[in-house]
Amino acid sequence: MIGERWRIPLMLAPTLIIIVVLFFGSLGYGFLQSLGWQPNIGNTTFSLDAYATVLFSPEYREQFWSGLWLTIWVSLASTFISAALALMSALLLRQTFIGKKIATFLFQLNLPVPHLVIAIGMIFLFSQSGLAARAAAQLGMISTPNEFPVMLRDAGGVGIILAYLWKEVPFFGIVLLAILQSVGEDYEDLARSLGANRWQRFRHVILPLVMPGLLSSSIIVFAFTFGTYEVPKLLGVRFPEMLPVMALEFFLNPDLNARAEGMALSMIIAAITLLIVVAYMWAGNRAVQR
Amino acid sequence: MTVRNRRPFFYLAVAVICILLVLPVITFMINAFAFRWFYPQFIPAEWSLQAWERLQLIPPEGERTLTNWLALLGSSDVIDALVVSLVIGVGVTLFSVVIGLPAARALGMHKFRGKRIVEFMILAPTIVPSIAFVLGLNINFIRWELSGSLFGVALVHLVPVMPYVVLTLSGVFANYNPDFEDQARTLGAGPLRTFWYVTLPAIFPGIVVAALFAFLVSWSQYLLTFLIGAGRVITLPILLFASASGGNNAVIAVMSLIFIAPAILTLLVTSRYLSGESGAVGGFGRI
Amino acid sequence: MTHVILSNLTKSFPGNPVAAVNTMNLDIPSGQLVAFLGPSGCGKTTTLKMIAGLITPTVGDITFDGASVLAVPPEKRGAVMVFQNYLLFPYMSVGQNVGFGLKMRGVEPKVIDRKVIEMLDLVKLPNIANRRPRQLSGGQQQRVALARALITEPKVLLLDEPLSNLDAHLRDEMRELILSIQRNLGVTMIFVTHDQEEAVLLANQIALIFDGVLQQYAAPDVFYRQPISERAARFFGGINFVPATRRGERLETAFGAFHVRTPGVENAPEGEVTLTIRPEQVVLNPADDENCTSGRIRSRIYVGTYTRYKIMIGDIEIEATRSGDIDHALNEGDAVRVGFPADRIWVVGRS
């Protein structure tokens, strides 16, 4: 019989070993490497050179800062726009109507479809010879493919944002539908009988009720869009370049010194996402204590 | 009350949303069978199975005999990749559920010192992007000679998979009444039979959901497989990504369809277990 | 002070051939406290929501002081609902909850604050405006929900099972509060309940509803003395039912003939009927022999403040209760004389 004392640690051990060794261990190892500690090529001293190079050197600083702003812009825009569109869709889809089952199924179809595939779908849809351009040509709005606006591989990251919208609207949508369903319509009925009109019911009842769920899923979406690689690699441009793509390029550079810079960049990405999450939890705690 | 709405406008809005969302999947279906689909044709003028033949998913026309069909199994890159993806996905799913179950039980049913820290540690990989840990991991895996092996790739897939498995199952255990197990024990069931006849049926829907997410998260990994597989473990996303940046549209579309079909199928089969309220739905944000 | 009339009110839901509420006619005078009583699924909540405007009737009309309100949306109707589970907005303070209705009307914040304090005083919960709903007990939440409804000065106050979520001692308190508010403000109140005790405790008038159809609309005591049907009598705790044939004052049963002289019985059915009498009205070993028969005590159950006797008269079981201490002269197996006072017997149609 195993002692009570060791039961819970033993139950947790297999999972924790995986997480601690593979995740935290690698994170720590990456951090050491970003400080220039690379014993295999004889560097055993620590320095902040890699960070300085990425952030301030004339060679890379423009690339880094433009990439940082692009990454922040793309993540924020994707998160906010998809949350807003999903809220609208969820308010429609929660109603009772003929064909609701089919509509809900189609709405959720993209949930298990990987981001990579959606990104390819964007190429098929929005490239200058894609389905949208063909539709525009059929309608006589453009005469040659070049007249169709450049939406993919553009400096503003429009193509990347579009791909995220297609993925994250259903994601936010399923979360919101679940919340709306569990809350029911009684609060709205009550507010209505107390004199709240349609807009007031949205503003003072629905929005505050879904807000906690919306915020926590926003964190998931923001963190994901901030750190993912495939979508910006397929739909982005070389300059400005999203940070995860830049980090991998540094890392895969045959020059082993560039490796430290790639590590530094990935640490910066992790730090920014962690910062956002901590800020959110702090704000959330304050809201609870109020 | 919400049943009263402006019907034509309402149906139009729902239709627009749903059609827009499924448009990518529809373009794959069109592209996969299109032949010489020149701009600005909106619908292809000619259809063919040429891309399927090129990927050796079906034998060329006139040669579709049983032997030729069977011969595809060894010769098609896509089928090979599909098998590799499946092996990794199923292996990761089984292993993650087996090691995740006790951890989830500890977190869902027991109070202990340091529980918050353990929860934080297990959830951390859901927030920190893969790129942040995989670079460091890559170097060590090369050193430990795990790089480029199926086992190594499956091992690293566990990092994004474990949080969702534990999260889903601990939610199930939080609402689970262990008195049933004690009741079974007093009625003469041993520990194994108690688990089989009492615990397992009670948590089964949770296990289905956990397995679904484990499989889907593993199935859709690109970056981890790319860096740890080191070009020797070719899964479907690796193959797809390589041809996506400059291949034949029809070929890309066929591969995309083959890639998403099992994922959609998995969701369809298990959707009745998915309530949408469990925290695990967060896993969809990771696929 | 609003006079509410429901005329021919009917609601059918799509896909259901049976109407949830069927041709309901009801006159609720101003300042009354009326209960809609019936088992769950009988259509009482549907009726309440139709009065609030949250459900649109299929047929029929609802008038407040003679004017139809069907075209008035719920937010303008002045019929405010208090839900069974209180539904205090969890993200607002108690004060914000109470002030919600005035905020929706664009009332100045200063005025709202003052009225909120007034209302919380009215429901006897001063100084809690800054608390969060989840810090309150169930009874307190109920009072806040009441204050939130009353602040809008509703024409009609609609309550869903107002006492059912409360402990026994809180029920009395809440009953007092609702009655005193009703006396002071004179607002017309309608509440629904499945619990006849709750209805009797609170209401001036009870509307008994089965299967979407109004059965009987009367003061609470009438349901005990003069129920409309066996089902209505059973709903109010009636258990003694004996088949009988009635001709005028005379009732023939399997164990003898009885006279019936209860006021109002002249309007009750004739011919094949069912005799009913409440257990507390059955007299054991009465002084005189009118309306009397013989039976045998099958069981005696002592319940503290009273004793329950089950008596077999032939093969019919009759229950009688006696208040006070156990009577040791009446034991199981003893023969007993059973009297049905002529002014306590009631008859309903044979079902």
Side-chain angles (χ1 to χ4, degrees), chain B residues 19-32:
Chain B
I19 291 172
L20 276 178
L21 282 174
V22 297
L23 224 44
V25 176
I26 292 176
T27 59
F28 293 138
M29 293 182 181
I30 301 176
N31 269 291

Side-chain angles (χ1 to χ4, degrees), chain A residues 209-286:
Chain A
L209 283 173
V210 300
M211 206 33 106
L214 205 55
L215 278 179
S216 57
S217 29
S218 295
I219 288 295
I220 296 175
V221 167
F222 183 88
F224 187 83
T225 52
F226 201 91
T228 196
Y229 170 80
E230 304 94 290
V231 178
K233 177 69 186 171
L234 280 178
L235 299 178
V237 282
R238 301 253 339 150
F239 186 91
E241 191 173 45
M242 298 263 288
L243 294 186
V245 183
M246 206 186 294
L248 199 68
E249 259 158 35
F250 273 120
F251 182 75
L252 295 178
N253 194 317
D255 172 7
L256 285 180
N257 283 316
R259 213 180 231 193
E261 274 118 47
M263 295 287 189
L265 203 44
S266 72
M267 288 301 129
I268 293 170
I269 295 171
I272 293 173
T273 29
L274 272 179
L275 210 68
I276 303 265
V277 175
V278 169
Y280 160 78
M281 295 205 315
W282 179 76
N285 272 339
R286 261 174 61 108

